[in-house]
Amino acid sequence: MGKFRLGLIINPLAGLGGSVALKGSDGVAAEALALGAQPKAGLRMHTALEELLEFKDRIIVYTASGAMGEDVCRAMGFETEICYQAPLNTEAGDTKSAVAELCKLQPDLLLFAGGDGTARDVYAVVDEQQVVLGVPAGVKIHSGVYGITPKAAGIVVRLLLQGELVSLMEADVMDIDEAAFREGTVRARRFGEMRVPAEPRYVQAVKMGGKEVDELVLADIAAELIDEMDDSLYIMGSGSTVAAVMQELGLDNTLLGVDLVQDRQLMASDLTAAQLLEATENQKVKLVITLIGGQGHILGRGNQQLSPALIRRIGKDNIVILATKTKLKALEGRPLIVDSGDPELDKALSGYYRIVTGYRDYVMYQVANPSE
């Protein structure tokens, strides 16, 4: 039996900007290092490779020199061949060049450590038939090509080595414009697809089979809402799902209250019902709400600040409901509930809504009033 041919690339700059509050590493690696950031991508790849140590005699690693792969692999005792000589100070172009060289060798799997920017660089040059898997090491991980954790990425490779039947799927390469993000604007978009092992327990594939990892799904839901935001005044309801949007915007959030956002800026926090009516008068308004897990209430539990008068002013078409598929499935087909205290309003609000469940991912779900 021939050895498993593992292509391996580490982006040494991935994740540098996170600890020093630079919202990413694209174009600011030197600044991040000057602020004291410590490279972590190599450590994350090390964590992934620990899952493969018992198989290292059956693996040959093709990688780049130095911090782009060689150092970690040789230190862990893997048979290693260098296919790209990396400079001491690497940049995005080195990831692309190294991947291009690796692809000439047609490895069984290309394992790379980085963030969404790294995934974009890999996608730019990788052969469409090449199977890839990301080890999460960046500030931004919106792409579906990554393992849920570094350890999980290593487990997927281990499954392959154990001869498990691991299916393949096409997963989205996503990224946020970091320069715009630092200026307060969040723009996430899809750049394409890469082929990854379809192992939903371990791979960040939030649209597969209803299997989700909350923090990843919430980030996708937040990116979708933020991408669609216009100049309306947004009433941000209570709950952790809405809180994820506020976190992605970089705004303070009242977890058990109601906040106002406009132009991606916080206008007011923890408003009362009366304050909400005053603030929204003669305004174009949208309401962002989620459901209470297990119960299914979207109005009338934990958000009584949203008065019937306010809901009538907003209108059914301007209500945006966010929810993970996990929470929706837990309802076992029961409808979402509106209990505003106004039976006529509850009846008017009934019907099927498009629920935001991920980035460019929606489901249709019924909303009903308690008497139905």
Side-chain angles (χ1 to χ4, degrees):
M1 180 185 294
K3 291 194 174 185
F4 186 88
R5 298 158 57 85
L6 179 65
L8 186 147
I9 293 293
I10 298 170
N11 174 6
L13 306 180
L16 284 177
S19 63
V20 290
L22 292 178
K23 315 277 191 311
S25 308
D26 298 356
V28 294
E31 181 182 355
L33 289 168
L35 289 170
Q38 297 295 315
K40 298 287 179 64
L43 293 174
R44 294 202 170 240
M45 180 62 83
H46 188 284
T47 298
L49 292 176
E50 284 180 335
E51 295 297 317
L52 310 181
L53 286 175
E54 65 181 293
F55 301 100
K56 66 181 179 181
D57 291 337
R58 291 171 45 192
I59 300 171
I60 181 168
V61 179
Y62 299 98
T63 188
S65 63
M68 286 193 73
E70 178 187 17
D71 293 349
V72 170
C73 294
R74 292 204 190 283
M76 297 182 76
F78 287 93
E79 181 182 351
T80 305
E81 289 194 13
I82 306 305
C83 65
Y84 178 75
Q85 287 294 328
L88 184 61
N89 298 312
T90 61
E91 54 188 20
D94 292 298
T95 297
K96 294 178 181 177
S97 297
V99 170
E101 290 301 315
L102 278 176
C103 285
K104 294 178 182 177
L105 301 172
Q106 298 181 320
D108 298 311
L109 176 74
L110 173 58
L111 190 68
F112 66 94
D116 284 334
T118 310
R120 283 177 60 186
D121 292 334
V122 173
Y123 168 73
V125 294
V126 76
D127 184 277
E128 65 180 10
Q129 302 300 317
Q130 176 65 56
V131 180
V132 305
L133 181 62
V135 175
V139 177
K140 305 163 289 132
I141 306 289
H142 290 86
S143 298
V145 299
Y146 283 94
I148 291 169
T149 64
K151 179 182 176 71
I155 290 173
V156 173
V157 184
R158 192 179 75 203
L159 291 174
L160 292 169
L161 287 161
Q162 288 173 334
E164 301 273 353
L165 292 176
V166 177
S167 300
L168 299 177
M169 63 172 283
E170 304 299 320
D172 288 343
V173 177
M174 308 276 296
D175 200 7
I176 281 178
D177 181 337
E178 287 186 11
F181 189 34
R182 295 186 189 102
E183 299 300 320
T185 300
V186 179
R187 291 198 294 264
R189 66 186 182 95
R190 177 181 177 278
F191 287 84
E193 295 178 336
M194 290 195 291
R195 183 163 295 178
V196 301
E199 182 45 73
R201 290 171 294 172
Y202 304 116
V203 177
Q204 181 172 314
V206 299
K207 297 179 184 177
M208 281 191 56
K211 292 184 180 293
E212 301 177 313
V213 177
D214 278 350
E215 61 268 26
L216 304 180
V217 181
L218 292 177
D220 272 1
I221 289 172
E224 170 61 18
L225 178 67
I226 293 167
D227 221 20
E228 296 298 316
M229 276 184 159
D230 55 25
D231 60 356
S232 297
L233 186 63
Y234 283 81
I235 300 174
M236 309 299 290
S238 58
S240 58
T241 307
V242 179
V245 179
M246 298 292 279
Q247 180 179 350
E248 198 81 8
L249 285 167
L251 304 178
D252 290 335
N253 173 70
T254 309
L255 183 63
L256 300 179
V258 178
D259 301 325
L260 280 182
V261 170
Q262 191 167 37
D263 297 325
R264 299 179 173 85
Q265 299 297 317
L266 183 64
M267 308 302 292
S269 298
D270 203 10
L271 286 87
T272 65
Q275 289 171 330
L276 283 166
L277 282 172
E278 181 180 357
T280 57
E281 190 169 3
N282 299 319
Q283 296 278 337
K284 184 171 68 170
V285 183
K286 293 185 178 179
L287 170 63
V288 180
I289 52 177
T290 188
L291 61 113
I292 296 177
Q295 299 180 22
H297 287 80
I298 57 172
L299 290 173
R301 298 288 189 280
N303 54 15
Q304 283 84 357
Q305 305 95 319
L306 306 176
S307 63
L310 179 69
I311 300 301
R312 288 186 185 278
R313 176 181 291 172
I314 294 168
K316 177 179 177 179
D317 292 342
N318 290 312
I319 297 175
V320 182
I321 304 174
L322 314 178
T324 66
K325 290 177 182 175
T326 298
K327 278 191 175 182
L328 292 174
K329 286 189 173 184
L331 296 175
E332 298 180 334
R334 300 190 305 273
L336 299 176
I337 298 171
V338 287
D339 186 15
S340 68
D342 182 333
E344 289 301 314
L345 176 59
D346 291 344
K347 187 174 181 179
L349 292 173
S350 297
Y352 280 84
Y353 286 68
R354 187 185 78 157
I355 314 295
V356 178
T357 54
Y359 190 81
R360 299 291 185 264
D361 194 17
Y362 321 96
V363 300
M364 297 299 292
Y365 205 91
Q366 186 180 18
V367 172
N369 70 73
S371 63
E372 289 185 334

